[in-house]
Amino acid sequence: MSKPSIRRTLSATLALALGLAACAGPATTAAPTTGDEKVTLTVWDYYGEATPLKPLIEGFQKENPNITIQYEALDWDTTLEKLNVVLTGGTPPDVVTADMTWLPKFAALGAFADLKTLSGGKLNGVAFDQAYTPGALEAITFNDKIVAALYDFDVYALYYRADLFKAKGLAVPKTWDELVAVAQKLAEGDKYLYQYQPDTFHGAQWIYENGGSLMNADNSAATFNSPEAVAAIQFYADLLLKDKVAIYWGTDEGDRMQGIKDGRIAMFSDGPYYMGILKSGAPEMAGQWAVAPHPTNNVPGSYLGGTGLVVPASSAHQAAAWKFIEYAMRAENQVGVYKNAGAAPALTAALDSTEVNVADPYFGDEKAFSVFLDTMKTAHHFPYVRQWADIDTAFTTAMQEIGLGTKSVQQALDDAVTASNDALKK
């Protein structure tokens, strides 16, 4: 799908745009349209050619002849940039595919309509807390408002070369210590390594797995230099710098797929969408890869992201927009998220369906989606603070400094926490 395979941090330009939006204050909520008047809905969609949304338009318009969809295909970056612009003025779209990592900033700005109010608390007749897992519901809730309908979800599990594990008689690691032992037996010089990725998504996973957090309970201060967090990132860094069983993979290293194909990468952590990327990018490796829960230390944990369907608070057609979202969130239409985009549908009913939860021959006839669904139960969304872009940048910089050996773990995280807390005071 068109969402970035390696999730990107927001640029300084876009962060500035959000700052301007913050100065302008939250968007004004427009009065919803009635269900019968003729309206045109503008839909912004960043999925690209494999979109599961566009195929739904014809059926939706047949059921709702008073509603016309004006569909606009945008890429991930353009969608974000245009959202920043319409926050400060102009005509907003009515429905947007929004990356869940954008919600901390936009929700804090009051940019999206409360879907709980629009829906009466139900999604296609099912209460939100029954339609979604507890973790998913928490991720789309801000100040007791539901600010997005989670459409696909992203949590991290362990991708590993099952063929190499079998050839070397290795069991899938369940703990950090087991991961080191397995990685040492798997590695052969610069081949068959674990991928070290210097970003907030992967760093957060290790911190969560050690019982740490990114911020304190009221999101007033960063805490990713706590003893639990430092120990977690130190372990991650040691895989690379001390044990020599990991490979540094930043933006300069290019597409991960090259490292997968040439054998440098034999284990990595990523979300369900990468199953589709493997199938299309390395079809010749069918049967060689498998998916398992990522090894943990104290507790299981992963960042929780994905795509949400949102209604801008200044949309003039909120009732009609909610109709379209409900249509897209029908169980049979959620299956299209998997079939068209290769991603994991967020609706529990869709994930449990036989069309999605099937044995996958590419992954050794495993029901791989079940791994991600279990992971979702203990995943954490990023904190809902307006300054999240600054915190993300500071944390990512620290992970780069650590992986490149230019700063110690403690110093890099201390510096990043200082920068984050300075940003929170602005």
Side-chain angles (χ1 to χ4, degrees), residues 285-351:
M285 299 185 79
Q288 296 180 20
W289 286 94
V291 181
H294 194 270
T296 64
N297 193 32
N298 288 329
V299 292
S302 168
Y303 113 94
L304 172 59
T307 298
L309 300 179
V310 302
V311 179
S314 50
S315 163
H317 310 301
Q318 293 181 15
W322 174 247
K323 275 192 173 185
F324 180 71
I325 289 176
E326 276 204 300
Y327 185 84
M329 291 301 303
R330 291 178 183 176
E332 64 270 23
N333 291 336
Q334 269 270 281
V335 170
V337 172
Y338 167 64
K339 288 185 173 181
N340 293 314
L347 198 67
T348 304
L351 281 167

Side-chain angles (χ1 to χ4, degrees), residues 86-112:
V86 297
L87 279 181
T88 60
T91 302
D94 302 294
V95 177
V96 185
T97 52
D99 195 294
M100 293 297 291
T101 61
W102 304 347
L103 259 62
K105 297 162 288 297
F106 286 122
L109 292 168
F112 299 141

Side-chain angles (χ1 to χ4, degrees), residues 30-39 41 66-67 94 118 315-321:
T33 55
T34 67
D36 297 326
E37 63 184 274
K38 291 186 179 296
V39 299
L41 288 182
N66 60 311
I67 301 175
D94 302 294
L118 285 179
S315 163
H317 310 301
Q318 293 181 15

